Amino acid sequence: MSSLAAARADNFYNPPDWDPNKESRNKYHNSHGALGNRARKLEKEGILIIRFEMPFPVWCAGCGHLIGKGVRFNAEKKKIGKYHSTTVWSFCMKAPCCKEVIEVHTDPKNAEYVIVRGAKKKVEYSGEDAVVVDPKAGDRPKDAIGRLEVAEIDKRAAEDGLTQIMDLKEQSYHRYKDDVDRNRSLRRTMRQARREEQQRTARRDALGLSKNIQLLPETKMDRLRASAVEFGSVKSNWKKKRKSIKSEGIFGKKYQQK
């Protein structure tokens, strides 16, 4: 097979001015191979750009923002030393909140990560680490009889607290036992209220009132007050007014002869 056929078989194009004895194909094309642009600092500085996941929650030293566990960064991975035969790596990244540079090192001795700068590890406590402190420990009696009396009082208080807890549990059980029926009733009430609101809105629009005016629900007292109002007859008032005008003189009442 000729050289041209071999090049076609490998699916590579070899430029005529490229010498494989002097430089690699990637160097000739100014490429970093499969790593791409992530390896742009690999040859000169030994830095490779990777995706780093925060192993635990930390507080940002720049702005105090909490960076949660599992947040990913584009970090610069660099070899900084060795612990026996295990490589110690450094990961540098920028915080997403204030661009503070965070540096994390591996700790092969303790099998963990160490925050070097830019952040502070959040301290979390579990229930096993909790310590119960009695605030009245200094006021308790020292003698045996006094301690026995206090223990009896504490026992009664614990029994009363347990009874109260059981009552609360029973009350909660009876309250939420029929949660489906209660939810159905609540939704029915909300639908009725929404329907009444729509009716009041339609009545307001029919009266030609402004949208800023909100009609309240009608009550029995409103109906009684409305029925007690008397506006009188427009026709009878008009007739009385006209009759009084005809009875007056041309110069008014004060010029009429008695």
Side-chain angles (χ1 to χ4, degrees):
M1 182 182 295
S2 63
S3 59
L4 181 59
R8 289 179 178 176
D10 295 337
N11 200 20
F12 287 122
Y13 169 72
N14 297 327
D17 56 343
W18 172 66
D19 188 359
N21 298 325
K22 295 182 179 179
E23 56 185 356
S24 64
R25 186 182 287 104
N26 291 333
K27 189 173 183 180
Y28 175 81
H29 290 289
N30 196 19
S31 172
H32 302 288
L35 297 176
N37 195 35
R38 298 189 297 117
R40 60 183 181 272
K41 301 180 181 180
L42 188 60
E43 294 184 2
K44 296 182 180 180
E45 304 178 30
I47 295 176
L48 178 64
I49 309 298
I50 65 166
R51 292 291 286 174
F52 180 80
E53 186 174 309
M54 191 62 68
F56 39 72
V58 297
W59 296 102
C60 177
C63 61
H65 180 75
L66 177 62
I67 302 174
K69 176 182 178 180
V71 178
R72 296 183 178 182
F73 302 87
N74 289 334
E76 296 183 349
K77 178 182 177 182
K78 184 178 181 181
K79 178 180 178 181
I80 59 173
K82 276 186 173 296
Y83 176 75
H84 297 294
S85 60
T86 306
T87 305
V88 179
W89 299 96
S90 169
F91 303 94
C92 291
M93 65 213 80
K94 290 184 178 180
C97 46
C98 62
K99 305 304 179 182
E100 178 76 14
V101 178
I102 302 175
E103 185 174 358
V104 182
H105 290 180
T106 58
D107 186 3
K109 181 179 180 180
N110 300 315
E112 62 178 1
Y113 291 92
V114 179
I115 301 293
V116 178
R117 61 186 175 99
K120 182 180 179 181
K121 183 178 179 181
K122 180 184 177 183
V123 181
E124 296 180 340
Y125 298 98
S126 61
E128 299 176 355
D129 300 331
V131 179
V132 179
V133 180
D134 187 2
K136 300 181 180 179
D139 300 336
R140 292 184 179 274
K142 304 296 183 181
D143 58 303
I145 301 299
R147 290 198 300 269
L148 184 61
E149 292 178 353
V150 172
E152 186 66 23
I153 295 174
D154 292 343
K155 183 178 179 181
R156 292 178 184 177
E159 292 177 356
D160 295 341
L162 181 60
T163 304
Q164 186 178 3
I165 291 174
M166 295 303 295
D167 293 341
L168 291 174
K169 285 185 176 180
E170 185 177 0
Q171 182 181 0
S172 177
Y173 171 75
H174 289 293
R175 178 178 298 176
Y176 298 104
K177 179 175 63 174
D178 301 329
D179 53 347
V180 176
D181 296 336
R182 291 179 180 273
N183 185 27
R184 187 185 297 112
S185 176
L186 179 61
R187 292 172 65 87
R188 188 185 302 113
T189 305
M190 293 177 63
R191 284 196 297 269
Q192 181 65 23
R194 186 162 55 249
R195 194 178 299 113
E196 293 177 357
E197 180 67 24
Q198 292 175 356
Q199 293 175 359
R200 290 195 297 269
T201 303
R203 185 178 179 184
R204 181 196 63 192
D205 297 340
L207 294 174
L209 300 177
S210 174
K211 293 184 178 180
N212 298 327
I213 300 176
Q214 182 180 4
L215 298 181
L216 298 178
E218 183 179 349
T219 62
K220 185 178 180 180
M221 185 59 66
D222 295 337
R223 290 192 293 270
L224 293 175
R225 290 180 177 177
S227 61
V229 176
E230 294 183 359
F231 296 97
S233 175
V234 178
K235 187 175 182 180
S236 60
N237 291 338
W238 174 75
K239 287 183 177 181
K240 290 180 180 179
K241 187 69 175 177
R242 184 162 185 169
K243 187 177 180 180
S244 63
I245 293 174
K246 287 183 177 181
S247 63
E248 293 178 359
I250 191 172
F251 299 106
K253 290 182 178 181
K254 63 180 181 178
Y255 296 104
Q256 290 182 5
Q257 296 181 358
K258 297 181 180 179

